[in-house]
Amino acid sequence: MTEKLPEAEVIKRESDYLRGTILQGLGDRATGALPEDDTKLTKFHGSYQQDDRDLRDERRRQKLEPLYQFMVRLRLPGGVLSSDQWLGLDNIADECANSTLRLTTRQTFQFHGIFKEKMQTFMRMVNELGLDTRGACGDVNRNVISNVNPQLSHLHQEIHELSLAISDRLRWRSGAYGEVWLGEERVAELGQEEEPFYGHKYLPRKFKIALAIPPENDCDVFANDIGLIAIIDEGRILGFNVVVGGGMGLTYGDPATYPRLATMAGYVPKDKIVDACEAICAIQRDHGCRTDRAHARFKYTIDDHGMDWFQERFAEYHGAPFERPRSFSLTSNGDRFGWVEGEGGFHHLTLLIPTGRVADTEEGGQIRTALREIAEVHEGDFRITCNQNLVIAGVTAENRGKIDAIVEEYGLDAGNRSTPLRQHSMACVAFPTCGLAMAESERFLPGFVGQIEQLMSEEGLEPDAINIRITGCPNGCARPYLGEIGLTGKALGKYNLYLGADFSGQRMNRLYRENIDVDTILAELRPLLRDYREGRLENEYFGDFLVRTGVVEAERTPAMLHQAIK
């Protein structure tokens, strides 16, 4: 007996290669929303339909429909864009969105507050900048992320070129994007194959790829479906160790769901790595679970079938087996702030952008205005980091003074205006726009970090670097399960507290306390921080201390991620 497919799977297959009735829905001015089935398809086009949850109750009382609007995410492999593109996106923020840009944990931009009547204008303006949103969401390969590595420009260039090549190889190709958003005419005949790789089924769920250059792991390479760890010899990339089956996210109360770190599969030479990524993605396309979306990520395909099965399938799909993995070392997953001098006499400035929000606000200062002024004089490029920060890259010695003056005028943070604790904190958007949010995250993080700083001060600790990750739900957009202190929203004002990840993104944390408020979180952390001050080894990180002293087990099963220690 054939199992019934979930609704999302049926919608994909019957969508006429992601067209659905999106175009007709955009023209319906009787509502700010699109038809429900089409909201599943617009994800493939880079957009989520949302509403302002702060206004839900008031609009309900006024007998108005929710204030529907759209979040749109760009496809920006490796997070690199020119100054002209930055200025263009800044203009779009005013023209079509809510006058802010947000840097994401996957090295791209999200725009919020876009109303339906502005969607096609938004997409056309993005297209005019040489950019697109195709596959930034949906059941396809998502934005390919990579190490920004401003110190070694030639390695960054190699990594960036591979990011572009992988993204292009796994990009969905249906004419739907041009027809819906850009006014193009349909050229493919009905029934003609439009998706040579994805077919009409696409993938079972989203798929993520990251590239890292040791010893830096700023992209959290083990949190991805495919992680590529560069093997360097004499300053050149020889190839990559390939890890597979990583992924964040779980469903509360369902031990069959769990975050997972990727498993080492083997080594692939550099000239074969794009083909290897296509082969691995094809394995998931053909063998991933399509009857249960909660079980449809690649991590479950790996665990269901085992690594021996995967190795055999890879050799079959790729035409050659993995080679033995090479040695490597990863030491950190944060950003280096301030100026560094790279190769060729160019300088690079990394700026802290709190929670990635580029906006002019009374409390946060004029970050957006300052970055616009930098873009007007900067001749190099901008690089978004996987920690929601920004690198002003390729600055000439002549231009460095101009940029320094803007940084000083607007009080931008080059790592000199914040503590290491704040520099290693990250949050997802959550309220008011994310429909999955159960608790605050972006709006909660600054105050929470301040409370931790105060707590550390009271316990005689410097506000040293501790990775803090907060999300408004368990889906893991800010990779909370890799935080030395991780919070996932459970209800308004309530969070699950996770502890014990390492500082380099190679060990997940463990559920410590469940469904507790902020005061209880701080009360739980106080004695642990006190013990840390009294018993830490030299240069020992907080997560490592918790494991060494037995507060959190070093090795743990997926089910333990659902079981609180206390």
Side-chain angles (χ1 to χ4, degrees):
M1 180 178 174
T2 303
E3 291 189 74
K4 184 179 179 180
L5 292 173
E7 181 187 37
E9 197 69 23
V10 175
I11 290 170
K12 279 186 290 187
R13 295 172 186 223
E14 297 179 353
S15 69
D16 190 15
Y17 295 104
L18 306 182
R19 291 175 175 84
T21 58
I22 300 172
L23 196 56
Q24 296 92 314
L26 289 169
D28 180 5
R29 293 293 184 260
T31 173
L34 289 173
E36 185 175 352
D37 285 2
D38 288 332
T39 65
K40 307 291 194 305
L41 300 177
T42 54
K43 294 177 183 179
F44 291 79
H45 297 255
S47 177
Y48 281 80
Q49 180 172 291
Q50 302 176 331
D51 72 282
D52 191 327
R53 296 176 65 177
D54 287 347
L55 300 178
R56 272 186 188 176
D57 289 344
E58 176 60 29
R59 291 183 69 84
R60 188 181 297 117
R61 282 192 292 270
Q62 295 183 24
K63 295 183 170 47
L64 298 172
E65 73 173 8
L67 187 61
Y68 290 115
Q69 52 195 269
F70 293 81
M71 178 275 285
V72 183
R73 188 181 295 152
L74 303 191
R75 183 176 69 99
L76 192 69
V80 176
L81 71 161
S82 69
S83 292
D84 285 344
Q85 287 172 325
W86 182 282
L87 291 170
L89 294 176
D90 181 86
N91 179 51
I92 290 171
D94 279 337
E95 182 71 24
C96 300
N98 66 352
S99 297
T100 75
L101 304 89
R102 193 173 194 275
L103 312 183
T104 79
T105 58
R106 293 198 67 79
Q107 260 182 335
T108 186
F109 292 91
Q110 287 184 181
F111 290 81
H112 293 92
I114 305 171
F115 293 110
K116 188 171 75 172
E117 59 268 23
K118 286 286 189 178
M119 282 287 287
Q120 288 173 310
T121 301
F122 176 94
M123 295 294 203
R124 287 169 181 166
M125 292 179 74
V126 166
N127 184 70
E128 289 168 2
L129 296 173
L131 302 171
D132 65 64
T133 68
R134 187 194 305 255
C137 315
D139 297 344
V140 288
N141 181 58
R142 298 285 188 90
N143 199 50
V144 178
I145 62 175
S146 65
N147 186 292
V148 295
N149 199 11
Q151 292 79 25
L152 298 170
S153 299
H154 71 278
L155 289 182
H156 176 264
Q157 185 61 33
E158 283 190 76
I159 285 286
H160 182 54
E161 288 172 359
L162 285 169
S163 301
L164 292 170
I166 294 168
S167 181
D168 186 64
R169 180 73 67 87
L170 296 175
R171 174 175 57 89
W172 65 266
R173 301 185 182 280
S174 160
Y177 190 86
E179 295 162 27
V180 170
W181 307 115
L182 309 178
E184 296 176 1
E185 294 292 327
R186 183 166 185 164
V187 294
E189 295 178 8
L190 191 64
Q192 180 178 327
E193 182 63 71
E194 292 194 60
E195 296 285 6
F197 178 77
Y198 288 114
H200 71 288
K201 298 178 182 179
Y202 295 88
L203 293 181
R205 285 295 295 272
K206 60 186 175 184
F207 198 87
K208 297 180 177 181
I209 300 175
L211 299 89
I213 303 176
E216 297 174 344
N217 185 24
D218 55 353
C219 65
D220 281 330
V221 68
F222 287 93
N224 291 267
D225 296 277
I226 301 175
L228 306 178
I229 303 168
I231 303 301
I232 312 296
D233 184 54
E234 297 184 353
R236 306 304 299 178
I237 298 174
L238 298 181
F240 295 85
N241 282 349
V242 180
V243 296
V244 296
M248 300 285 99
L250 57 79
T251 300
Y252 288 139
D254 182 359
T257 66
Y258 47 84
R260 185 188 191 278
L261 293 185
T263 303
M264 179 61 68
Y267 172 86
V268 173
K270 176 188 170 184
D271 63 343
K272 300 295 184 183
I273 199 63
V274 179
D275 293 339
C277 288
E278 181 178 14
I280 296 168
C281 193
I283 293 170
Q284 170 64 355
R285 176 197 65 198
D286 297 343
H287 298 280
C289 176
R290 292 184 181 270
T291 57
D292 179 2
R293 283 185 68 79
H295 195 69
R297 288 293 301 272
F298 188 41
K299 59 186 175 182
Y300 302 121
T301 307
I302 294 290
D303 284 347
D304 287 347
H305 296 281
M307 281 300 292
D308 289 344
W309 172 90
F310 170 73
Q311 297 272 4
E312 292 171 1
R313 296 289 77 70
F314 177 78
E316 173 190 335
Y317 278 65
H318 185 56
F322 287 108
E323 298 179 24
R324 291 180 61 85
R326 312 292 172 89
S327 62
F328 68 96
S329 175
L330 298 172
T331 59
S332 69
N333 63 354
D335 295 327
R336 302 182 187 183
F337 294 94
W339 285 104
V340 297
E341 184 172 356
E343 298 166 343
F346 289 103
H347 302 256
H348 312 279
L349 174 65
T350 302
L351 297 170
L352 177 70
I353 310 296
T355 65
R357 183 66 70 180
V358 179
D360 290 346
T361 64
E362 186 174 339
E363 60 277 8
Q366 293 183 289
I367 294 175
R368 184 178 163 218
T369 295
L371 293 176
R372 182 170 60 244
E373 291 190 14
I374 288 175
E376 288 169 348
V377 301
H378 179 42
E379 297 172 354
D381 55 39
F382 289 82
R383 301 175 189 169
I384 302 169
T385 81
C386 297
N387 297 297
Q388 303 172 301
N389 298 311
L390 189 65
V391 181
I392 315 300
V395 179
T396 62
E398 294 77 19
N399 267 1
R400 177 168 170 170
K402 296 178 185 178
I403 291 174
D404 268 336
I406 296 170
V407 168
E408 183 63 29
E409 178 184 355
Y410 289 97
L412 297 183
D413 190 350
N416 58 334
R417 300 176 185 271
S418 55
T419 64
L421 190 73
R422 199 166 292 274
Q423 293 164 14
H424 287 83
S425 63
M426 195 157 65
C428 69
V429 174
F431 287 104
T433 53
C434 179
L436 300 175
M438 303 177 186
E440 294 282 3
S441 182
E442 178 182 343
R443 299 192 294 198
F444 170 74
L445 178 68
F448 179 71
V449 172
Q451 290 173 301
I452 297 293
E453 289 173 337
Q454 178 64 32
L455 183 58
M456 293 177 73
S457 175
E458 291 171 1
E459 294 302 327
L461 275 167
E462 293 293 324
D464 292 335
I466 297 176
N467 276 333
I468 299 176
R469 307 281 181 84
I470 302 177
T471 58
C473 79
N475 287 306
C477 290
R479 304 187 287 276
Y481 309 107
L482 288 172
E484 293 178 284
I485 299 173
L487 302 182
T488 62
K490 202 70 187 292
L492 285 176
K494 298 289 186 69
Y495 298 86
N496 283 359
L497 170 63
Y498 295 82
L499 297 174
D502 68 354
F503 199 71
S504 61
Q506 298 179 85
R507 182 183 67 234
M508 286 193 302
N509 49 30
R510 165 114 195 249
L511 180 59
Y512 188 73
R513 287 291 306 277
E514 188 174 10
N515 197 27
I516 55 177
D517 61 20
V518 178
D519 288 342
T520 308
I521 292 169
L522 297 173
E524 291 289 341
L525 290 175
R526 183 181 291 276
L528 298 176
L529 290 169
R530 182 182 304 139
D531 292 345
Y532 179 50
R533 174 180 60 81
E534 295 173 351
R536 67 189 294 190
L537 303 177
E538 186 177 2
N539 298 321
E540 186 175 32
Y541 289 109
F542 183 56
D544 294 335
F545 169 79
L546 296 178
V547 169
R548 180 176 63 81
T549 56
V551 175
V552 176
E553 300 90 335
E555 301 296 332
R556 38 199 173 272
T557 66
M560 292 166 69
L561 268 292
H562 293 265
Q563 300 165 357
I565 292 173
K566 297 177 69 175

